[in-house]
Amino acid sequence: MSEYQELHRRFDRHYLLRSSADLLEWDAQAMMPEGGGDLRAAQLGTLRVLAHEAISAPDLPDLLAAAEAAPPAGAWERANLAAMRRAWVHAAAVPADLVEARARVTSGCELAWRTARREDDFASLLPQLEEVVNLTRRVGEAKAAVMGLSVYDALADEYEPGAREAALVPLFARLERELPPLVDAIVARQASAPPVPALVGPFAVDRQAALGRHLAERMGFDFARGRLDVSVHPFCGGAAEDVRMTTRYDEGDFLSSVLGVVHETGHALYEMGLPRAWARQPVGHVPGMGLHESQSLLMEMQAARTPELLGYLAVVASAHLGVALQRESLERHALKVARSLVRVDADEATYPLHVIVRFSLERALVAGDLAVRDLPGAFRDGMERVVGVRPPTDREGCLQDVHWPSGAFGYFPSYTLGAIAAAQLFAAALVAHPAIPAELAEGDFTSLRRFAHEHVHQHGARYDTNGVLERATGRGLDADVLLAHLRRRYLG
Amino acid sequence: MSEYQELHRRFDRHYLLRSSADLLEWDAQAMMPEGGGDLRAAQLGTLRVLAHEAISAPDLPDLLAAAEAAPPAGAWERANLAAMRRAWVHAAAVPADLVEARARVTSGCELAWRTARREDDFASLLPQLEEVVNLTRRVGEAKAAVMGLSVYDALADEYEPGAREAALVPLFARLERELPPLVDAIVARQASAPPVPALVGPFAVDRQAALGRHLAERMGFDFARGRLDVSVHPFCGGAAEDVRMTTRYDEGDFLSSVLGVVHETGHALYEMGLPRAWARQPVGHVPGMGLHESQSLLMEMQAARTPELLGYLAVVASAHLGVALQRESLERHALKVARSLVRVDADEATYPLHVIVRFSLERALVAGDLAVRDLPGAFRDGMERVVGVRPPTDREGCLQDVHWPSGAFGYFPSYTLGAIAAAQLFAAALVAHPAIPAELAEGDFTSLRRFAHEHVHQHGARYDTNGVLERATGRGLDADVLLAHLRRRYLG
């Protein structure tokens, strides 16, 4: 067996352990009763350590070096070898006991967050969140030392390979400068329009669920290879051949749940479209979370908010919910721009402002410049300064997101990188397939999905995010395209 | 750290891996889409091997010998040490590659069984089932060599420690002799009664589910520590603090689903009542599957079929299902005895006959005296000879049970051992708590649950099955009590 083949075997085993843990995490969010929390935290700790050990054994450096000295012939194999090295750098930098402690503590903290959020009780979360921040900082320090990066960059690199503060800071500074006047102009314009009639509920949960399922199927979600369930914080997990996406329902507001399903289905189509032959190898996965997010936003923000798709939605939503909905009314609701409290419900124009607040706070937390106990106040101040609204509670403030309790620091920028990439990809798709708007008017996603599959999904991690974008759109990540899209859709 | 403490650590890790695999198996039965089958089989193979390795490492014999030479002080610790040795004997006898192959193959076969059963297509299952039988035989041979037992005994000992063909054969021979005339007498007596009015459906699945949930709660099932879902083959899995039980619904027949929930709740109460401090150690689990089954049958067959509980059921079922049900009618249906095709729907008088057919066939399969391809015919012949009915299809024949496709050979006797133990335990409970019938008439399971907890649940595996029965009822396993119960309830 060649060194490369031996590495292939190790990473296969790593994937089987990691995907087992992912399934247990999906279960913890979507299925598990409260009593299972302690056991689940211990199970995840064990599985994460074993997955870590599989690709950080002492002989890995020699295997990698030998394989790189005599690289395999195929382009996929060579890209896989590069992805293996990247994964090894992240894994080997962190000692096993730290991996286990972090998995255990974040699993417990995430569970505590559920209760703390429901009861608006930050104090109850504080001790565990402090522990999570401390352990995450130690992980970041260990990686930073090996990778020659700042602690924050070392953490963010796990989600977004190549993402660096040096580039993110000016990008977000520009958005923080340009978006508020844009938002002001949109808000003023929308205020001058006649008031939007409310979408009168209640909309029964089972009917909303059937509507969401219908849309997911129209988009190409294969229910023989995935599920749609309910969780507090919607997400898309599982594996390519068994995708587990979740949503949440509000009887008073079907639009948010439906568009949430469209969002998660965008993620799911990416997973389902990854190269099957490489499903258990690093090159078979996504090159970064920003590109993953681009696929959800391509569907949710770019496609689903076109007049064409909203027209289709008005018809099928009316049929499923048993009410008479007009496209114009849906459009006014779906395109409403407002400075609001909750990130996941934010419109596309203010969403980056929510990210900016978090990007700034998580850097301060990781650096130790902000104590965890001071987070609630700092979060309110940040929201007031950047987004323009002050959360009256922590539930609507720093407790709204699962990311930090679950140990994900450095993840938030991916949402905005994804929004930019989505704008670029949709523009390119419209050029390549001019029939897309007419298809969307019929609820037909064929050409858009084909474009996404051809230019993004099927490549796995063979190219990095910028490489994918350059091949698909002719240029790397470019905030101009997002800003132009916003001006055109809302002011043009 | 003493040797015992080190063993404690190893078995803790073993439990975390095993319980992770158990959760993935629950998911495979209750949640997983079809597309996930291959990945799940590979995940389970990996986890089962790691769990196996945790307690079959080369230094285990030395650790066990040293711990036994200087045993820990507490009675629980000493019982745990004995349970560790038992687990080690079973684990170390089987090489790791065989463990992995068996886990992988049974997982795939179980999935294929789902389709084969639905489509009544034994031929599609044959290749995988042959592989399962071969691998199981090899496992049995490996254990038999170490344990000095027959292959069948070595396999059965995993489910029922101490169970031996030498005792099971005469027990089942006696039942095969005594039950048929008893069944004939019951059937004749019931035939002479006026015909039973049908329980007219359809009974909506969500109402049946609410009724099942109500009963489970009245029995003491804690939904903060467990779930109730749907699967093709109802079972009770998960862990003590996170019990996953399943049922299945038939719109035409609510009684079978409701009594199925009562059955699984009996299992669940046992799991939930096991000693918390020992949850991750061998002594904290059940001493054998027969005793586990005794707890489900104590509830389903002994308690739930008393006139008192059926009176309560008539009231709550009427309320939940929106129909007017009489106790007498429920009683006639719930106590109906008939030679029928499907084991899980069989009444308590004919049930052991179904077990006898399987006991005989699985011994022949394991011994190689019966080829897997000849199973369908042998199953029909066996059913006709012992139960008195001939399955017209394999769906109602050898495809009805998941046990063999999932690699469980030597499990079936536990059902009858459990039925005998349940009769003994209920008789003893009535003596200890004469108020039980009056309580059951109110849907109150307090005293019965207290008896079961005090005499069975809280002991974990500190005593073996006979030890538990002797302490609880004054005698070991005794088929007389079951036969007397049947005569009294149906003829007396």
Side-chain angles (χ1 to χ4, degrees), chain B residues 170-172 174-175 178-179 182 416-417 419-421 423-424 469 475-487:
Chain B
L171 169 67
F172 284 121
R174 178 186 174 191
L175 293 174
E178 296 197 20
L179 280 177
L182 185 58
T416 296
L417 303 181
I420 295 169
Q424 294 179 252
L469 285 178
R475 61 214 293 192
L477 202 75
D478 183 354
D480 284 345
V481 185
L482 175 64
L483 291 165
H485 155 75
L486 293 174
R487 283 191 202 95

PDB file of all heavy atoms in Angstrom, chain B residues 170-172 174-175 178-179 182 416-417 419-421 423-424 469 475-487:
ATOM      1  N   PRO B 170     -35.505 -28.985  27.077  1.00  0.00           N
ATOM      2  CA  PRO B 170     -36.629 -29.589  27.825  1.00  0.00           C
ATOM      3  C   PRO B 170     -37.720 -28.580  28.202  1.00  0.00           C
ATOM      4  O   PRO B 170     -38.908 -28.917  28.208  1.00  0.00           O
ATOM      5  CB  PRO B 170     -35.954 -30.174  29.075  1.00  0.00           C
ATOM      6  CG  PRO B 170     -34.571 -29.622  29.110  1.00  0.00           C
ATOM      7  CD  PRO B 170     -34.214 -29.191  27.730  1.00  0.00           C
ATOM      8  N   LEU B 171     -37.309 -27.319  28.496  1.00  0.00           N
ATOM      9  CA  LEU B 171     -38.323 -26.309  28.820  1.00  0.00           C
ATOM     10  C   LEU B 171     -39.274 -26.122  27.647  1.00  0.00           C
ATOM     11  O   LEU B 171     -40.506 -26.147  27.810  1.00  0.00           O
ATOM     12  CB  LEU B 171     -37.643 -24.972  29.163  1.00  0.00           C
ATOM     13  CG  LEU B 171     -38.579 -23.761  29.256  1.00  0.00           C
ATOM     14  CD1 LEU B 171     -39.521 -23.899  30.450  1.00  0.00           C
ATOM     15  CD2 LEU B 171     -37.786 -22.465  29.345  1.00  0.00           C
ATOM     16  N   PHE B 172     -38.691 -25.935  26.428  1.00  0.00           N
ATOM     17  CA  PHE B 172     -39.548 -25.710  25.267  1.00  0.00           C
ATOM     18  C   PHE B 172     -40.307 -26.985  24.874  1.00  0.00           C
ATOM     19  O   PHE B 172     -41.430 -26.910  24.372  1.00  0.00           O
ATOM     20  CB  PHE B 172     -38.729 -25.148  24.104  1.00  0.00           C
ATOM     21  CG  PHE B 172     -38.399 -23.693  24.291  1.00  0.00           C
ATOM     22  CD1 PHE B 172     -37.079 -23.246  24.330  1.00  0.00           C
ATOM     23  CD2 PHE B 172     -39.416 -22.760  24.453  1.00  0.00           C
ATOM     24  CE1 PHE B 172     -36.788 -21.898  24.502  1.00  0.00           C
ATOM     25  CE2 PHE B 172     -39.130 -21.405  24.623  1.00  0.00           C
ATOM     26  CZ  PHE B 172     -37.814 -20.970  24.655  1.00  0.00           C
ATOM     27  N   ARG B 174     -41.505 -29.096  26.955  1.00  0.00           N
ATOM     28  CA  ARG B 174     -42.653 -29.142  27.854  1.00  0.00           C
ATOM     29  C   ARG B 174     -43.755 -28.189  27.358  1.00  0.00           C
ATOM     30  O   ARG B 174     -44.930 -28.543  27.308  1.00  0.00           O
ATOM     31  CB  ARG B 174     -42.203 -28.746  29.266  1.00  0.00           C
ATOM     32  CG  ARG B 174     -43.362 -28.740  30.235  1.00  0.00           C
ATOM     33  CD  ARG B 174     -42.993 -28.225  31.607  1.00  0.00           C
ATOM     34  NE  ARG B 174     -44.216 -28.135  32.414  1.00  0.00           N
ATOM     35  CZ  ARG B 174     -44.281 -27.537  33.577  1.00  0.00           C
ATOM     36  NH1 ARG B 174     -43.203 -26.978  34.113  1.00  0.00           N
ATOM     37  NH2 ARG B 174     -45.433 -27.473  34.244  1.00  0.00           N
ATOM     38  N   LEU B 175     -43.343 -26.971  26.988  1.00  0.00           N
ATOM     39  CA  LEU B 175     -44.329 -25.994  26.520  1.00  0.00           C
ATOM     40  C   LEU B 175     -44.965 -26.467  25.209  1.00  0.00           C
ATOM     41  O   LEU B 175     -46.167 -26.289  24.994  1.00  0.00           O
ATOM     42  CB  LEU B 175     -43.671 -24.621  26.340  1.00  0.00           C
ATOM     43  CG  LEU B 175     -43.202 -23.953  27.649  1.00  0.00           C
ATOM     44  CD1 LEU B 175     -42.442 -22.668  27.339  1.00  0.00           C
ATOM     45  CD2 LEU B 175     -44.385 -23.663  28.580  1.00  0.00           C
ATOM     46  N   GLU B 178     -47.496 -28.992  26.414  1.00  0.00           N
ATOM     47  CA  GLU B 178     -48.624 -28.585  27.270  1.00  0.00           C
ATOM     48  C   GLU B 178     -49.447 -27.438  26.694  1.00  0.00           C
ATOM     49  O   GLU B 178     -50.632 -27.304  27.003  1.00  0.00           O
ATOM     50  CB  GLU B 178     -48.102 -28.189  28.661  1.00  0.00           C
ATOM     51  CG  GLU B 178     -47.455 -29.378  29.371  1.00  0.00           C
ATOM     52  CD  GLU B 178     -47.305 -29.171  30.878  1.00  0.00           C
ATOM     53  OE1 GLU B 178     -48.020 -28.315  31.440  1.00  0.00           O
ATOM     54  OE2 GLU B 178     -46.462 -29.861  31.481  1.00  0.00           O
ATOM     55  N   LEU B 179     -48.819 -26.603  25.893  1.00  0.00           N
ATOM     56  CA  LEU B 179     -49.573 -25.434  25.427  1.00  0.00           C
ATOM     57  C   LEU B 179     -50.651 -25.757  24.393  1.00  0.00           C
ATOM     58  O   LEU B 179     -51.769 -25.232  24.497  1.00  0.00           O
ATOM     59  CB  LEU B 179     -48.620 -24.354  24.883  1.00  0.00           C
ATOM     60  CG  LEU B 179     -47.932 -23.488  25.941  1.00  0.00           C
ATOM     61  CD1 LEU B 179     -46.969 -22.512  25.273  1.00  0.00           C
ATOM     62  CD2 LEU B 179     -48.953 -22.717  26.794  1.00  0.00           C
ATOM     63  N   LEU B 182     -53.889 -26.705  25.846  1.00  0.00           N
ATOM     64  CA  LEU B 182     -54.391 -25.546  26.581  1.00  0.00           C
ATOM     65  C   LEU B 182     -54.999 -24.536  25.608  1.00  0.00           C
ATOM     66  O   LEU B 182     -56.092 -23.997  25.828  1.00  0.00           O
ATOM     67  CB  LEU B 182     -53.219 -24.933  27.365  1.00  0.00           C
ATOM     68  CG  LEU B 182     -53.489 -23.779  28.318  1.00  0.00           C
ATOM     69  CD1 LEU B 182     -54.496 -24.178  29.383  1.00  0.00           C
ATOM     70  CD2 LEU B 182     -52.179 -23.348  28.979  1.00  0.00           C
ATOM     71  N   THR B 416     -39.610 -15.964  25.950  1.00  0.00           N
ATOM     72  CA  THR B 416     -40.388 -16.883  26.788  1.00  0.00           C
ATOM     73  C   THR B 416     -39.862 -16.910  28.221  1.00  0.00           C
ATOM     74  O   THR B 416     -40.641 -16.990  29.173  1.00  0.00           O
ATOM     75  CB  THR B 416     -40.399 -18.285  26.137  1.00  0.00           C
ATOM     76  OG1 THR B 416     -41.093 -18.179  24.888  1.00  0.00           O
ATOM     77  CG2 THR B 416     -41.086 -19.303  27.025  1.00  0.00           C
ATOM     78  N   LEU B 417     -38.538 -16.824  28.367  1.00  0.00           N
ATOM     79  CA  LEU B 417     -38.008 -16.703  29.728  1.00  0.00           C
ATOM     80  C   LEU B 417     -38.623 -15.468  30.392  1.00  0.00           C
ATOM     81  O   LEU B 417     -38.987 -15.476  31.562  1.00  0.00           O
ATOM     82  CB  LEU B 417     -36.481 -16.588  29.692  1.00  0.00           C
ATOM     83  CG  LEU B 417     -35.747 -17.749  28.989  1.00  0.00           C
ATOM     84  CD1 LEU B 417     -34.231 -17.534  29.041  1.00  0.00           C
ATOM     85  CD2 LEU B 417     -36.111 -19.089  29.625  1.00  0.00           C
ATOM     86  N   ALA B 419     -41.546 -14.085  29.691  1.00  0.00           N
ATOM     87  CA  ALA B 419     -42.965 -14.296  29.978  1.00  0.00           C
ATOM     88  C   ALA B 419     -43.146 -15.069  31.274  1.00  0.00           C
ATOM     89  O   ALA B 419     -44.047 -14.771  32.080  1.00  0.00           O
ATOM     90  CB  ALA B 419     -43.616 -15.055  28.823  1.00  0.00           C
ATOM     91  N   ILE B 420     -42.267 -16.043  31.482  1.00  0.00           N
ATOM     92  CA  ILE B 420     -42.339 -16.828  32.731  1.00  0.00           C
ATOM     93  C   ILE B 420     -42.002 -15.931  33.921  1.00  0.00           C
ATOM     94  O   ILE B 420     -42.723 -15.893  34.927  1.00  0.00           O
ATOM     95  CB  ILE B 420     -41.375 -18.032  32.647  1.00  0.00           C
ATOM     96  CG1 ILE B 420     -41.824 -18.996  31.542  1.00  0.00           C
ATOM     97  CG2 ILE B 420     -41.277 -18.731  33.994  1.00  0.00           C
ATOM     98  CD1 ILE B 420     -40.791 -20.082  31.194  1.00  0.00           C
ATOM     99  N   ALA B 421     -40.920 -15.187  33.801  1.00  0.00           N
ATOM    100  CA  ALA B 421     -40.509 -14.304  34.899  1.00  0.00           C
ATOM    101  C   ALA B 421     -41.577 -13.260  35.191  1.00  0.00           C
ATOM    102  O   ALA B 421     -41.836 -12.917  36.357  1.00  0.00           O
ATOM    103  CB  ALA B 421     -39.179 -13.626  34.554  1.00  0.00           C
ATOM    104  N   ALA B 423     -44.817 -13.533  34.831  1.00  0.00           N
ATOM    105  CA  ALA B 423     -45.918 -14.154  35.589  1.00  0.00           C
ATOM    106  C   ALA B 423     -45.530 -14.287  37.056  1.00  0.00           C
ATOM    107  O   ALA B 423     -46.330 -14.006  37.964  1.00  0.00           O
ATOM    108  CB  ALA B 423     -46.265 -15.520  34.990  1.00  0.00           C
ATOM    109  N   GLN B 424     -44.273 -14.695  37.298  1.00  0.00           N
ATOM    110  CA  GLN B 424     -43.814 -14.837  38.682  1.00  0.00           C
ATOM    111  C   GLN B 424     -43.794 -13.487  39.395  1.00  0.00           C
ATOM    112  O   GLN B 424     -44.202 -13.374  40.541  1.00  0.00           O
ATOM    113  CB  GLN B 424     -42.406 -15.450  38.700  1.00  0.00           C
ATOM    114  CG  GLN B 424     -42.359 -16.885  38.198  1.00  0.00           C
ATOM    115  CD  GLN B 424     -40.932 -17.446  38.202  1.00  0.00           C
ATOM    116  OE1 GLN B 424     -40.342 -17.630  37.150  1.00  0.00           O
ATOM    117  NE2 GLN B 424     -40.380 -17.686  39.382  1.00  0.00           N
ATOM    118  N   LEU B 469     -34.851 -13.156  40.543  1.00  0.00           N
ATOM    119  CA  LEU B 469     -36.154 -13.815  40.714  1.00  0.00           C
ATOM    120  C   LEU B 469     -36.264 -14.462  42.091  1.00  0.00           C
ATOM    121  O   LEU B 469     -37.315 -14.396  42.738  1.00  0.00           O
ATOM    122  CB  LEU B 469     -36.365 -14.859  39.617  1.00  0.00           C
ATOM    123  CG  LEU B 469     -36.713 -14.289  38.241  1.00  0.00           C
ATOM    124  CD1 LEU B 469     -36.854 -15.421  37.231  1.00  0.00           C
ATOM    125  CD2 LEU B 469     -38.006 -13.474  38.308  1.00  0.00           C
ATOM    126  N   ARG B 475     -38.350 -17.974  44.366  1.00  0.00           N
ATOM    127  CA  ARG B 475     -37.910 -19.105  43.554  1.00  0.00           C
ATOM    128  C   ARG B 475     -37.317 -18.647  42.225  1.00  0.00           C
ATOM    129  O   ARG B 475     -37.606 -17.551  41.767  1.00  0.00           O
ATOM    130  CB  ARG B 475     -39.060 -20.085  43.314  1.00  0.00           C
ATOM    131  CG  ARG B 475     -40.227 -19.482  42.564  1.00  0.00           C
ATOM    132  CD  ARG B 475     -41.569 -20.056  43.012  1.00  0.00           C
ATOM    133  NE  ARG B 475     -41.694 -21.466  42.647  1.00  0.00           N
ATOM    134  CZ  ARG B 475     -42.849 -22.147  42.717  1.00  0.00           C
ATOM    135  NH1 ARG B 475     -43.958 -21.548  43.127  1.00  0.00           N
ATOM    136  NH2 ARG B 475     -42.891 -23.417  42.387  1.00  0.00           N
ATOM    137  N   GLY B 476     -36.507 -19.507  41.635  1.00  0.00           N
ATOM    138  CA  GLY B 476     -35.926 -19.216  40.325  1.00  0.00           C
ATOM    139  C   GLY B 476     -36.980 -19.339  39.235  1.00  0.00           C
ATOM    140  O   GLY B 476     -38.176 -19.470  39.526  1.00  0.00           O
ATOM    141  N   LEU B 477     -36.507 -19.300  38.002  1.00  0.00           N
ATOM    142  CA  LEU B 477     -37.421 -19.359  36.856  1.00  0.00           C
ATOM    143  C   LEU B 477     -38.287 -20.616  36.922  1.00  0.00           C
ATOM    144  O   LEU B 477     -37.767 -21.720  37.076  1.00  0.00           O
ATOM    145  CB  LEU B 477     -36.600 -19.359  35.563  1.00  0.00           C
ATOM    146  CG  LEU B 477     -37.343 -18.892  34.316  1.00  0.00           C
ATOM    147  CD1 LEU B 477     -37.514 -17.382  34.334  1.00  0.00           C
ATOM    148  CD2 LEU B 477     -36.573 -19.317  33.076  1.00  0.00           C
ATOM    149  N   ASP B 478     -39.624 -20.454  36.799  1.00  0.00           N
ATOM    150  CA  ASP B 478     -40.535 -21.569  37.033  1.00  0.00           C
ATOM    151  C   ASP B 478     -41.720 -21.499  36.062  1.00  0.00           C
ATOM    152  O   ASP B 478     -42.648 -20.698  36.239  1.00  0.00           O
ATOM    153  CB  ASP B 478     -41.027 -21.504  38.485  1.00  0.00           C
ATOM    154  CG  ASP B 478     -41.916 -22.677  38.835  1.00  0.00           C
ATOM    155  OD1 ASP B 478     -42.248 -23.473  37.928  1.00  0.00           O
ATOM    156  OD2 ASP B 478     -42.284 -22.791  40.012  1.00  0.00           O
ATOM    157  N   ALA B 479     -41.696 -22.372  35.050  1.00  0.00           N
ATOM    158  CA  ALA B 479     -42.735 -22.340  34.013  1.00  0.00           C
ATOM    159  C   ALA B 479     -44.118 -22.663  34.571  1.00  0.00           C
ATOM    160  O   ALA B 479     -45.135 -22.279  33.981  1.00  0.00           O
ATOM    161  CB  ALA B 479     -42.381 -23.310  32.884  1.00  0.00           C
ATOM    162  N   ASP B 480     -44.173 -23.353  35.712  1.00  0.00           N
ATOM    163  CA  ASP B 480     -45.470 -23.660  36.323  1.00  0.00           C
ATOM    164  C   ASP B 480     -46.305 -22.403  36.521  1.00  0.00           C
ATOM    165  O   ASP B 480     -47.527 -22.425  36.349  1.00  0.00           O
ATOM    166  CB  ASP B 480     -45.263 -24.304  37.710  1.00  0.00           C
ATOM    167  CG  ASP B 480     -44.821 -25.756  37.592  1.00  0.00           C
ATOM    168  OD1 ASP B 480     -44.949 -26.325  36.484  1.00  0.00           O
ATOM    169  OD2 ASP B 480     -44.337 -26.302  38.606  1.00  0.00           O
ATOM    170  N   VAL B 481     -45.625 -21.329  36.904  1.00  0.00           N
ATOM    171  CA  VAL B 481     -46.371 -20.109  37.243  1.00  0.00           C
ATOM    172  C   VAL B 481     -47.030 -19.526  35.997  1.00  0.00           C
ATOM    173  O   VAL B 481     -48.169 -19.051  36.047  1.00  0.00           O
ATOM    174  CB  VAL B 481     -45.447 -19.073  37.927  1.00  0.00           C
ATOM    175  CG1 VAL B 481     -46.252 -17.855  38.384  1.00  0.00           C
ATOM    176  CG2 VAL B 481     -44.738 -19.709  39.124  1.00  0.00           C
ATOM    177  N   LEU B 482     -46.319 -19.578  34.867  1.00  0.00           N
ATOM    178  CA  LEU B 482     -46.914 -19.070  33.628  1.00  0.00           C
ATOM    179  C   LEU B 482     -48.098 -19.936  33.212  1.00  0.00           C
ATOM    180  O   LEU B 482     -49.168 -19.426  32.856  1.00  0.00           O
ATOM    181  CB  LEU B 482     -45.865 -19.040  32.505  1.00  0.00           C
ATOM    182  CG  LEU B 482     -46.401 -18.652  31.126  1.00  0.00           C
ATOM    183  CD1 LEU B 482     -46.941 -17.219  31.117  1.00  0.00           C
ATOM    184  CD2 LEU B 482     -45.332 -18.806  30.036  1.00  0.00           C
ATOM    185  N   LEU B 483     -47.911 -21.248  33.279  1.00  0.00           N
ATOM    186  CA  LEU B 483     -49.003 -22.146  32.870  1.00  0.00           C
ATOM    187  C   LEU B 483     -50.215 -21.962  33.782  1.00  0.00           C
ATOM    188  O   LEU B 483     -51.362 -21.933  33.320  1.00  0.00           O
ATOM    189  CB  LEU B 483     -48.518 -23.601  32.872  1.00  0.00           C
ATOM    190  CG  LEU B 483     -47.492 -23.906  31.758  1.00  0.00           C
ATOM    191  CD1 LEU B 483     -46.764 -25.221  32.016  1.00  0.00           C
ATOM    192  CD2 LEU B 483     -48.197 -23.946  30.392  1.00  0.00           C
ATOM    193  N   ALA B 484     -49.964 -21.820  35.073  1.00  0.00           N
ATOM    194  CA  ALA B 484     -51.071 -21.612  36.020  1.00  0.00           C
ATOM    195  C   ALA B 484     -51.787 -20.294  35.714  1.00  0.00           C
ATOM    196  O   ALA B 484     -53.024 -20.205  35.762  1.00  0.00           O
ATOM    197  CB  ALA B 484     -50.538 -21.615  37.458  1.00  0.00           C
ATOM    198  N   HIS B 485     -50.990 -19.276  35.416  1.00  0.00           N
ATOM    199  CA  HIS B 485     -51.579 -17.972  35.072  1.00  0.00           C
ATOM    200  C   HIS B 485     -52.496 -18.091  33.855  1.00  0.00           C
ATOM    201  O   HIS B 485     -53.620 -17.561  33.843  1.00  0.00           O
ATOM    202  CB  HIS B 485     -50.455 -16.959  34.809  1.00  0.00           C
ATOM    203  CG  HIS B 485     -50.853 -15.828  33.911  1.00  0.00           C
ATOM    204  ND1 HIS B 485     -51.659 -14.795  34.341  1.00  0.00           N
ATOM    205  CD2 HIS B 485     -50.585 -15.572  32.592  1.00  0.00           C
ATOM    206  CE1 HIS B 485     -51.855 -13.937  33.335  1.00  0.00           C
ATOM    207  NE2 HIS B 485     -51.218 -14.396  32.270  1.00  0.00           N
ATOM    208  N   LEU B 486     -52.021 -18.802  32.830  1.00  0.00           N
ATOM    209  CA  LEU B 486     -52.828 -18.935  31.610  1.00  0.00           C
ATOM    210  C   LEU B 486     -54.130 -19.685  31.910  1.00  0.00           C
ATOM    211  O   LEU B 486     -55.205 -19.285  31.460  1.00  0.00           O
ATOM    212  CB  LEU B 486     -52.033 -19.671  30.521  1.00  0.00           C
ATOM    213  CG  LEU B 486     -50.813 -18.912  29.977  1.00  0.00           C
ATOM    214  CD1 LEU B 486     -50.026 -19.790  29.007  1.00  0.00           C
ATOM    215  CD2 LEU B 486     -51.245 -17.618  29.281  1.00  0.00           C
ATOM    216  N   ARG B 487     -54.024 -20.786  32.686  1.00  0.00           N
ATOM    217  CA  ARG B 487     -55.237 -21.544  33.014  1.00  0.00           C
ATOM    218  C   ARG B 487     -56.223 -20.675  33.795  1.00  0.00           C
ATOM    219  O   ARG B 487     -57.416 -20.657  33.526  1.00  0.00           O
ATOM    220  CB  ARG B 487     -54.884 -22.781  33.846  1.00  0.00           C
ATOM    221  CG  ARG B 487     -54.305 -23.902  32.997  1.00  0.00           C
ATOM    222  CD  ARG B 487     -54.191 -25.228  33.733  1.00  0.00           C
ATOM    223  NE  ARG B 487     -53.178 -26.038  33.051  1.00  0.00           N
ATOM    224  CZ  ARG B 487     -51.902 -26.102  33.416  1.00  0.00           C
ATOM    225  NH1 ARG B 487     -51.472 -25.446  34.493  1.00  0.00           N
ATOM    226  NH2 ARG B 487     -51.051 -26.830  32.722  1.00  0.00           N
TER     227      ARG B 487
END
